């Protein structure tokens, strides 16, 4: 279901393509197809390794970006979108530990209270973007990019 949701979101925000890494679940599983609501058959996709994705990004001059809790807040004035486009690498937070590629731009989901238009922030704990599931975080990042 999550993969289908991400595909549907990418299609809705008019992303140009999707790249599936080797350990991704079956994109043609009935739950993925149903959750994608047809987006799987509308958005171009490729399959390949991380090394192949890196080479593809270099060839197309795309910046590889990853969601990371210590990354640049994409809702802040400090965020400057890459000029030639991006490849957004998403993964489940509870998956096996990993280190994002060193050359990847680290992005953070915006803190909803920091960008509240001058309204005082409520008395709550600091926002922790890792608490979002990958479909929600991916949707927010795709929207802001």
């Amino acid at each position: 279901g999550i993969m289908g949701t991400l595909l549907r979101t990418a299609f809705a925000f008019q992303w140009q393509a999707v790249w599936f890494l080797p350990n991704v679940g079956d994109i043609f599983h009935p739950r993925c197809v149903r959750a994608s609501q047809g987006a799987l058959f509308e958005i171009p996709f490729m399959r390949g390794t991380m090394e192949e994705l890196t080479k593809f990004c270099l060839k197309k001059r795309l910046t590889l970006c990853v969601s990371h809790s210590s990354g640049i807040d994409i809702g802040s004035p400090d965020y400057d979108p890459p000029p030639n486009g991006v490849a957004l690498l998403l993964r489940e937070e509870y998956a096996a530990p990993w280190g994002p590629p060193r050359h990847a731009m680290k992005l953070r989901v915006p803190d909803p209270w920091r960008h509240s238009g001058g309204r005082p922030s409520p008395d709550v704990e600091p926002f922790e973007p890792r608490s979002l599931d990958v479909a929600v975080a991916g949707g927010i990042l795709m929207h802001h990019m």
Side-chain angles (χ1 to χ4, degrees):
I2 291 175
M3 180 61 67
T5 300
L6 285 166
L7 288 166
R8 188 175 71 240
T9 304
F11 181 68
F13 286 128
Q14 299 177 355
W15 279 67
Q16 295 178 359
V18 176
W19 186 285
F20 296 109
L21 292 171
N23 294 333
V24 141
D26 180 9
I27 60 172
F28 294 107
H29 187 282
R31 279 182 268 188
C32 181
V33 173
R34 183 174 57 237
S36 80
Q37 296 183 358
L40 174 62
F41 306 109
E42 296 293 330
I43 192 166
F45 65 87
M46 293 184 66
R47 295 176 191 239
T49 65
M50 189 69 224
E51 183 179 331
E52 291 168 328
L53 175 58
T54 300
K55 287 179 184 176
F56 178 81
C57 288
L58 287 172
K59 180 180 176 184
K60 299 293 184 180
R61 299 177 17 162
L62 299 172
T63 301
L64 182 62
C65 299
V66 296
S67 177
H68 197 277
S69 60
S70 64
I72 301 165
D73 181 338
I74 62 168
S76 77
D78 296 335
Y79 172 67
D80 188 21
N84 298 316
V86 300
L88 178 60
L89 181 60
L90 299 171
R91 66 181 290 277
E92 284 288 351
E93 290 300 324
Y94 60 80
W98 78 304
R102 291 183 194 266
H103 63 279
M105 175 187 259
K106 294 178 181 129
L107 301 175
R108 185 177 66 229
V109 171
D111 181 336
W113 302 117
R114 184 176 301 151
H115 308 292
S116 60
R119 297 185 303 266
S121 55
D123 187 24
V124 296
E125 295 293 319
F127 176 66
E128 175 52 63
R130 289 182 293 182
S131 65
L132 300 174
D133 95 350
V134 70
V136 173
I140 293 169
L141 291 168
M142 283 187 251
H143 167 71
H144 277 275
M145 298 172 120

